[in-house]
Amino acid sequence: MRDPGLVAAPSADAATVRVTFEYVAWATVWLLVGTTIGLIASIKLHWPEFLPYAWLSFGRVRPAHTSLVLLGWASLALVGLSLYVVSRTSRVPLWSPRLARIALWLWNLALLGGLVTLLAGVSRGPQEYREWVWPLAVILAAAVLIDGYVAYRTVAARTLPEVYVSNWYILGGFCYLPILYVTSYLPFYQAGLGNTVVAGYYMHNAMGMWFTQLALGVSYYAIPRLLGRPVYSYALGVLGFWTNLLFYPLIGAHHFIFSPVPWWLQSTAILFSVGMMVPVWAGTGNLLLTFKGGGGAVRRSYALPFLVTGLIGYGLSSTQGTIEAFRTANVYLHFTNFTVGHSHATMYGFITFIAWGAVYGLVPRLTGREPSPLAVGVHFWLALVGVLTYVIAISIAGILQGLAWVAGQSFIVSVIAAEPMWLWRTIGGLLMVGGHVVFAANVWAMRPQRATVPTPPNAVGIPA
Ligand code: HEM
Ligand code: HEM
């Protein structure tokens, strides 16, 4: 059934609409490319002879997959949506859509360069999520700085006295990513264990201070807007923001429990991983409570089920992360496929579902075009069944590997135990990629009409 709330918002100015849509459209292109490459990586693990070319070897396609889905899909989708959110909640058009478009082309240039160089075997080596050679990193950093500046100038020009809670998260993400990027690329303190500590810091803060911040910022706008009611507690939203900032930066060493990294640093990371339950449940609880009494709206809407799934994904998979950080659990799970399950439960079950919910909830309001609700339903179920199959299978593989290793069995025993689960991961991945193709068709169906009439910015609505 069609969502009655999804009508075009004639108040959105044409330039903001176009640039937001361009970000979403390019994000979708990278989603298709990045997850097809993920599928190739997955097939290779149970069928090693598949596509036996050097440029498609596992060691090259893995970083190509991660960099495209993280920097191409998740970042571009969330940045595009964030630019729209800062404009709407500040009741002004986006400050310089032209600059935002230049930034988009810098993103695309860096992503294309990243794809070609990684497949050609040119990289910085095993530096998770920062494999790109530095000239590409500089282009990406320029794009982030420009987008952050456009967002900041838009909020600075707001016609309301307060800064809406979404913008705390969004501007926070834009402030933190450059710090993170510079810290992780500067070479002079990254010898030996210094490199390991920085790797942990970078990996997890990219997740917590970039993706999580933008996804929550967008959620704090989209959910009240789609439900037509204010967020359950503004104060809880602000508490979540500050406690996220307090706990996240110190949890990186939980990636290296039982390693030669100082014991006290590992213990601090575990303690702060427990502290993370405060922002996680403040955010999840606050946004889920906003739905209280809104069951009817969720049933009628095709966007809200994605957002509810994403929120549940956030709460559950982060709690899983906290449990995984304890030494008693980590001794069994570290180095195993269980972590790959956690990565997909979070980056897909949380971040990607929130991005989809916001795209389906907001884009028809700005372009005036809706996808077929049936096609959205097909996308939802393919993605949900696919990711559940993926995460359950690969988590079982991880537990079997951990049990074999702790029991002191030979490595091949763990490979034989995990192999059937790798096939199930591919089956889940096929469903996911099928869902992405349907999503791409839906994005195309939502494209803006050529002539969108610009109207005065003060007509723009914000969440109640
Ligand atoms: C309370 C919050 C969280 C905690 C305590 C937590 C904990 C952990 C731990 C302990 C690991 C490493 C496991 C190991 O290697 O032994 C890990 C890995 C990972 N987590 Fe989380 N997690 C949390 C939330 C999240 C969120 C929200 C995201 C995504 C937005 C995320 C994404 C990842 C990814 C991608 C990895 C794999 C990193 C790699 O090794 O390449 N986590 N997490
Ligand atoms: C938007 C969707 C996706 C996101 C954000 C995503 C993210 C990630 C991340 C963060 C990792 C690193 C995991 C770690 O080291 O712990 C990873 C690895 C991987 N992903 Fe994905 N992924 C997505 C979709 C897919 C799909 C559809 C497949 C297809 C089966 C797939 C297959 C893989 C494989 C095979 C690896 C390598 C695992 C290994 O090293 O053993 N991913 N992905």
Side-chain angles (χ1 to χ4, degrees):
M1 185 200 279
R2 291 203 166 226
D3 180 346
L6 290 183
V7 286
S11 47
D13 69 292
T16 309
V17 167
R18 287 212 83 85
V19 79
T20 302
F21 186 81
E22 284 165 22
Y23 270 83
V24 170
W26 276 105
T28 310
V29 170
W30 294 118
L31 174 73
L32 287 175
V33 181
T35 53
T36 303
I37 294 179
L39 200 50
I40 294 175
S42 178
I43 295 171
K44 277 173 176 281
L45 286 172
H46 53 85
W47 181 11
E49 298 81 21
F50 180 66
L51 300 176
Y53 312 112
W55 59 283
L56 285 180
S57 53
F58 185 82
R60 296 188 191 182
V61 290
R62 188 188 191 280
H65 164 64
T66 52
S67 58
L68 290 190
V69 289
L70 299 181
L71 301 171
W73 155 245
S75 294
L76 276 189
L78 290 173
V79 168
L81 291 164
S82 296
L83 293 178
Y84 173 70
V85 169
V86 292
S87 149
R88 298 286 282 193
T89 54
S90 303
R91 295 197 183 194
V92 287
L94 188 66
W95 186 85
S96 190
R98 211 169 68 89
L99 262 187
R101 186 167 293 113
I102 291 174
L104 173 62
W105 284 104
L106 290 176
W107 278 100
N108 283 336
L109 182 65
L111 286 158
L112 186 63
L115 176 62
V116 172
T117 49
L118 288 178
L119 293 186
V122 180
S123 83
R124 295 174 71 240
Q127 306 290 330
E128 186 110 66
Y129 314 145
R130 48 183 186 147
E131 297 93 348
W132 288 1
V133 288
W134 69 265
L136 297 172
V138 170
I139 299 175
L140 187 94
V144 173
L145 286 176
I146 296 174
D147 278 325
Y149 188 62
V150 171
Y152 163 74
R153 287 295 297 261
T154 308
V155 176
R158 71 193 178 280
T159 56
L160 299 166
E162 81 271 17
V163 174
Y164 182 64
V165 64
S166 285
N167 298 337
W168 288 62
Y169 283 95
I170 291 170
L171 292 184
F174 276 116
C175 288
Y176 207 88
L177 190 63
I179 300 175
L180 191 58
Y181 221 59
V182 171
T183 316
S184 68
Y185 264 87
L186 281 186
F188 55 85
Y189 46 76
Q190 297 213 33
L193 274 182
N195 178 275
T196 307
V197 173
V198 172
Y201 169 74
Y202 173 70
M203 275 191 284
H204 227 105
N205 283 286
M207 303 302 153
M209 300 304 293
W210 175 243
F211 296 116
T212 302
Q213 294 267 102
L214 295 194
L216 289 177
V218 167
S219 303
Y220 271 108
Y221 173 79
I223 291 172
R225 194 75 190 81
L226 293 177
L227 287 170
R229 57 169 69 177
V231 66
Y232 175 75
S233 162
Y234 199 86
L236 263 183
V238 176
L239 174 85
F241 173 80
W242 287 111
T243 47
N244 205 47
L245 188 58
L246 173 69
F247 293 119
Y248 240 118
L250 277 173
I251 66 176
H254 69 203
H255 289 261
F256 300 107
I257 307 288
F258 297 117
S259 72
V261 167
W263 194 255
W264 63 264
L265 190 60
Q266 298 178 30
S267 302
T268 310
I270 297 170
L271 192 66
F272 278 55
S273 299
V274 177
M276 273 306 298
M277 288 291 91
V278 178
V280 165
W281 286 103
T284 311
N286 197 15
L287 287 165
L288 283 180
L289 282 168
T290 306
F291 281 89
K292 213 166 113 192
V298 178
R299 275 192 298 278
R300 279 194 306 277
S301 162
Y302 49 67
L304 287 172
F306 283 93
L307 291 163
V308 175
T309 309
L311 287 177
I312 295 173
Y314 177 41
L316 293 185
S317 59
S318 298
T319 306
Q320 177 201 38
T322 296
I323 294 169
E324 213 179 328
F326 285 112
R327 288 196 174 92
T328 34
N330 203 267
V331 71
Y332 288 97
L333 302 175
H334 186 59
F335 290 132
T336 72
N337 282 174
F338 195 86
T339 302
V340 181
H342 169 70
S343 309
H344 289 80
T346 49
M347 276 309 300
Y348 201 94
F350 163 38
I351 301 289
T352 297
F353 268 82
I354 292 286
W356 283 330
V359 167
Y360 285 132
L362 301 180
V363 173
R365 286 171 185 267
L366 34 124
T367 63
R369 292 193 187 202
E370 284 188 68
S372 139
L374 179 67
V376 180
V378 171
H379 169 206
F380 179 82
W381 286 110
L382 282 175
L384 186 63
V385 175
V387 72
L388 285 175
T389 309
Y390 183 130
V391 171
I392 293 171
I394 213 67
S395 304
I396 294 175
I399 293 169
L400 294 177
Q401 289 168 328
L403 289 174
W405 297 343
V406 171
Q409 291 172 319
S410 73
F411 187 73
I412 195 66
V413 173
S414 70
V415 175
I416 293 167
E419 203 200 342
M421 296 300 140
W422 293 337
L423 180 61
W424 277 106
R425 186 232 314 256
T426 296
I427 294 170
L430 272 169
L431 297 177
M432 290 152 83
V433 174
H436 304 163
V437 174
V438 180
F439 172 65
N442 292 341
V443 169
W444 177 248
M446 290 186 282
R447 69 195 179 282
Q449 271 126 352
R450 288 225 159 258
T452 312
V453 188
T455 46
N458 60 2
V460 175
I462 60 160

